[in-house]
Amino acid sequence: MGWFKRLKDGIQTTTKFKKEAPDGLWYQCKQCNETLTVKELKENSYICTKCDYHARIGSYDYFDLIFDGKYELLFEEIRSKDFLEFTDLKNYKDRLEVAWEKSELTDAISVAHGKVGKRPICIAAMDFTFIGGSMGSVVGERISRAVDHCIEHVTPFMIISKSGGARMMESAFSLMQMAKTSTKLAQLSRAQIPYFSFMTDPTTGGVTASFAMLGDLNFAEPKALIGFAGPRVIKETIKKDLPEGFQRSEFLLDHGFLDFIVDRKELRDKIADLLYIFENKSED
């Protein structure tokens, strides 16, 4: 078998869903410019083998990395709708059609129920390939229903955030999801069910200002951009240079906004440990 065929066969995916990680045979790291095969990148959890840069991946990639094996998708029937008949350079209805076709996702967040370390957990993972992971009414509704599911089944909840912020095409309806999701997470807290917030690159805008920062534990991937407004906007507003590494995971950890940072290769084991700790805590 020739080297080309070996490489080609080696990158076949087990899911039908489009990955946010690069397609093709080769990948050039955005941080160190190292060139490696996509097969090598995938085998290393989509982390650069030279500099440990975490390439962006999609919601189903996280499900494959975290869950023990099989998982069940929830609330896929809920779809976004252009109820405001919004139009800018393109109408919102057409944008949705393009997003559904290109990403093969039903919206910017997917919810799945499965097991990690043989313990049940419900995970809602955002995906940047669907209109920049923007928070629309469907994102808020799926999170709300996921909370109800967790309360009913007494199951820990985790959100993997990756978002450019609120979806402007839904106007105030998008902004309302900040209050909606925060209220539902308060219900989860009153039910004494743990909520883990995992932030990835980027986590910005209304997502950061609401459910991303409300976890019983808030943690992130290395060097993830996390903030409300972007650093360029802040710099232009205050007319000052920003500190080194501003709004990156390490900066937020040093300033008390995160509990810890976890490498993607250690993520499944870390979540399994958290589920074990919280399960035994609830039994005390």
Side-chain angles (χ1 to χ4, degrees):
M1 183 186 294
W3 68 270
F4 182 82
K5 181 169 175 53
R6 286 202 304 272
L7 288 175
K8 185 176 186 296
D9 290 345
I11 62 170
Q12 299 305 305
T13 178
T14 57
T15 74
K16 70 175 183 177
F17 299 99
K18 178 180 174 65
K19 306 296 187 182
E20 192 174 341
D23 294 324
L25 289 176
W26 303 98
Y27 169 77
Q28 185 174 43
C29 177
K30 294 182 179 180
Q31 181 168 280
C32 70
N33 295 322
E34 177 77 0
T35 299
L36 59 156
T37 66
V38 173
K39 181 178 183 292
E40 290 175 316
L41 186 70
K42 181 177 179 180
E43 289 175 348
N44 200 44
S45 302
Y46 297 101
I47 301 172
C48 177
T49 55
K50 182 178 180 181
C51 69
D52 287 335
Y53 172 76
H54 285 51
R56 289 182 184 176
I57 59 176
S59 52
Y60 290 90
D61 296 300
Y62 280 110
F63 293 156
D64 292 340
L65 285 169
I66 295 172
F67 285 117
D68 290 344
K70 294 181 179 179
Y71 55 83
E72 178 188 2
L73 292 174
L74 305 174
F75 320 123
E76 288 291 290
E77 72 282 0
I78 307 173
R79 297 292 189 100
S80 293
K81 184 178 179 181
D82 184 16
F83 35 77
L84 294 178
E85 298 182 356
F86 182 92
T87 301
D88 48 5
L89 297 177
K90 185 187 296 184
N91 65 61
Y92 182 35
K93 183 178 179 181
D94 289 343
R95 289 186 187 276
L96 287 172
E97 293 290 344
V98 171
W100 287 325
E101 181 180 354
K102 283 190 174 182
S103 69
E104 297 186 30
L105 298 167
T106 55
D107 212 275
I109 197 166
S110 300
V111 181
H113 179 93
K115 290 186 177 182
V116 180
K118 299 181 180 180
R119 291 178 173 82
I121 186 172
C122 182
I123 301 177
M126 303 191 77
D127 199 307
F128 206 75
T129 59
F130 194 97
I131 315 182
S134 52
M135 179 182 62
S137 54
V138 167
V139 170
E141 182 63 18
R142 288 187 179 181
I143 291 175
S144 298
R145 295 199 186 192
V147 169
D148 292 337
H149 174 88
C150 290
I151 293 174
E152 179 182 354
H153 297 278
V154 194
T155 302
F157 185 40
M158 175 176 169
I159 297 179
I160 302 175
S161 297
K162 186 189 296 286
S163 174
R167 190 174 300 174
M168 68 172 188
M169 291 77 80
E170 294 189 16
S171 188
F173 289 97
S174 176
L175 298 177
M176 288 166 59
Q177 307 313 309
M178 298 170 64
K180 179 176 181 176
T181 54
S182 299
T183 300
K184 294 301 292 186
L185 290 172
Q187 293 178 6
L188 193 70
S189 178
R190 286 195 292 271
Q192 297 185 334
I193 295 173
Y195 162 50
F196 309 135
S197 178
F198 180 49
M199 286 163 266
T200 66
D201 182 60
T203 299
T204 58
V207 169
T208 306
S210 55
F211 57 81
M213 284 293 180
L214 294 178
D216 294 306
L217 289 173
N218 297 325
F219 51 104
E221 287 184 336
K223 298 182 180 179
L225 176 66
I226 303 168
F228 182 66
R232 179 181 57 81
V233 175
I234 295 173
K235 182 178 179 179
E236 290 177 355
T237 301
I238 66 175
K239 308 300 181 185
K240 292 182 179 180
D241 290 332
L242 301 174
E244 182 72 23
F246 181 70
Q247 289 187 324
R248 295 292 172 177
S249 303
E250 293 73 14
F251 185 91
L252 271 67
L253 179 65
D254 289 342
H255 290 78
F257 285 92
L258 294 177
D259 293 294
F260 56 86
I261 295 171
V262 58
D263 189 283
R264 191 179 291 160
K265 289 182 287 187
E266 301 171 356
L267 183 57
R268 177 186 291 174
D269 290 340
K270 176 64 74 172
I271 295 171
D273 289 344
L274 293 177
L275 292 176
Y276 172 78
I277 292 169
F278 275 81
E279 179 182 79
N280 285 272
K281 180 72 174 178
S282 63
E283 293 174 355
D284 292 342

